[in-house]
Amino acid sequence: MSPDPSSVRLHVVTGKGGTGKTTVAAALALALAADGGQVLLVETEGRQGIAQLFDTPPLPYEERRVAVVRGGGVVKALAIDVEEALLDYLDMFYNLRRAGRALRRMGAIDFATAIAPGLRDVLITGKIKEAVTRRRDGRQVYDAVVVDAPPTGRITRFLGVTAEMAQLARSGPIKTQSDGVMAVLRSPQTAVHLVTLLEDMPVQETADAIAELTEAKLPVGSVVVNMAADPILPVDGLELAVEGTLSGADLMRGLESAHLPGGEELADALAAQAVEHAQRWAAQDELRDEVEALGRPVVELPLLPGPMDVGSLFELAGRLEEHLRTEVAA
């Protein structure tokens, strides 16, 4: 259950809603493309979050370049459309693309995916597997595929539904396709990375997801602690504030030497904020211990000021690139 980082080609990124998993997936794709890598970044939930991050028009159902990285590396992005994925499937295995288009005009595809939600995940994971294994002139088209996957509460079901399909179909193209998808998802070339914040619920969901993925024999990769903030107080002041003994009187001399107005009222307000910050930091530090106890490689990404843009993505990608190098060396 510990995939060799140097052999991983399919990186599945999940996390509780609000943890920034789409941002992490985009930054990871940039990191993997550095020094000439060809990387595909896949969106599975139809939110067009990748297009927003890279400031591009909404992604169609085709692989489009969204970034060029040093050394000629390229990141392409694909927003999977379930209807188009089904047409691909019908064409690939049954030569029925024209019939599939007729079904779409009749609304049959929407009806089918509505009454059988698992079918949507089967089609999406099938398309991901096709991208991972695609070859041209005897060589793999992509060095890596990064998937912005569903949240942790749904990730095991999303990745494992194809195995259930394989059990239902005893033979034929559906059985062959399902077995092929699971062979990739459960192989050492796949790693499921989990994004969390240093907050109680995301850390607990991360722990639960790791347990579920392990039980389902799906390979767990790294835990990414996103939006981690450094303490803004010096060590001695931090310890004093954590204990709750920092008071306005302790700050008065500094305020007076800086010739700041406000007097005791300002000093008391600043002391209260310092205590709140320090105690929040201490609580986060305890959660760091819980994250480390999960037994997975951990990387922290900083909380960056301002809105997320391409420059910010490249900054996060640098941190992830360093983490990947460390993992390979280890």
Side-chain angles (χ1 to χ4, degrees), residues 262-282:
E264 293 182 2
E265 184 177 353
L266 175 61
D268 291 339
L270 288 173
Q273 286 194 0
V275 168
E276 180 183 350
H277 165 76
Q279 292 178 343
R280 185 169 61 249
W281 168 260

Side-chain angles (χ1 to χ4, degrees), residues 310-321:
V310 176
S312 301
L313 285 178
F314 272 98
E315 184 173 345
L316 297 179
R319 299 287 187 104
L320 289 170
E321 192 179 343

Side-chain angles (χ1 to χ4, degrees), residues 38 46 63 65 102 118 141 147 160 217 230-231 260 270 281 296:
Q38 303 296 304
E63 295 157 20
R65 187 176 67 182
V141 172
V147 180
K217 299 180 181 178
D230 293 326
L260 292 174
L270 288 173
W281 168 260
R296 306 307 313 155

Side-chain angles (χ1 to χ4, degrees), residues 60-330:
Y61 184 65
E62 70 179 51
E63 295 157 20
R64 286 194 173 180
R65 187 176 67 182
V66 292
V68 177
V69 190
R70 73 168 189 272
V74 171
V75 175
K76 291 184 177 181
L78 170 68
I80 295 182
D81 178 272
V82 175
E83 289 187 354
E84 292 292 342
L86 179 55
L87 293 179
D88 281 352
Y89 182 86
L90 292 174
D91 184 41
M92 187 179 302
F93 291 103
Y94 298 99
N95 197 26
L96 290 175
R97 177 172 285 272
R98 291 179 65 182
R101 290 196 178 109
L103 289 173
R104 180 167 61 178
R105 286 195 297 270
M106 295 166 55
I109 293 177
D110 285 340
F111 177 73
T113 54
I115 65 172
L119 176 61
R120 179 180 296 271
D121 292 345
V122 168
L123 294 170
I124 291 173
T125 53
K127 181 61 180 177
I128 292 168
K129 179 257 185 184
E130 184 276 326
V132 173
T133 58
R134 189 189 310 162
R135 288 179 173 270
R136 185 179 297 133
D137 298 328
R139 299 182 59 183
Q140 291 169 333
V141 172
Y142 291 110
D143 299 302
V145 175
V146 179
V147 180
D148 177 19
T152 46
R154 206 165 73 78
I155 187 63
T156 305
R157 170 72 176 168
F158 170 73
L159 296 174
V161 70
T162 306
E164 298 177 15
M165 182 70 74
Q167 293 175 359
L168 294 175
R170 296 183 178 275
S171 62
I174 292 178
K175 171 69 172 175
T176 302
Q177 167 72 355
S178 301
D179 287 344
V181 170
M182 292 314 299
V184 170
L185 293 180
R186 285 178 170 158
S187 74
Q189 65 181 318
T190 296
V192 183
H193 307 296
L194 299 105
V195 183
T196 187
L197 304 179
L198 291 176
E199 298 174 4
D200 290 325
M201 287 190 65
V203 170
Q204 185 58 55
E205 278 204 22
T206 299
D208 293 342
I210 288 176
E212 291 176 3
L213 290 164
T214 303
E215 185 177 357
K217 299 180 181 178
L218 292 162
V220 180
S222 298
V223 175
V224 181
V225 177
N226 197 22
M227 294 184 273
D230 293 326
I232 58 177
L233 297 174
V235 175
D236 53 348
L238 190 66
E239 293 175 353
L240 197 65
V242 167
E243 296 169 357
T245 57
L246 183 70
S247 68
D250 298 314
L251 305 180
M252 277 300 297
R253 181 178 298 177
L255 292 175
E256 290 171 351
S257 63
H259 304 291
L260 292 174
E264 293 182 2
E265 184 177 353
L266 175 61
D268 291 339
L270 288 173
Q273 286 194 0
V275 168
E276 180 183 350
H277 165 76
Q279 292 178 343
R280 185 169 61 249
W281 168 260
Q284 289 181 349
D285 219 27
E286 290 180 6
L287 288 170
R288 276 189 175 86
D289 294 337
E290 292 187 25
V291 171
E292 292 288 345
L294 295 174
R296 306 307 313 155
V298 178
V299 56
E300 287 197 10
L301 298 181
L303 174 64
L304 299 178
M308 185 61 58
D309 56 18
V310 176
S312 301
L313 285 178
F314 272 98
E315 184 173 345
L316 297 179
R319 299 287 187 104
L320 289 170
E321 192 179 343
E322 182 180 346
H323 172 71
L324 290 170
R325 283 198 301 266
T326 302
E327 282 301 292
V328 171

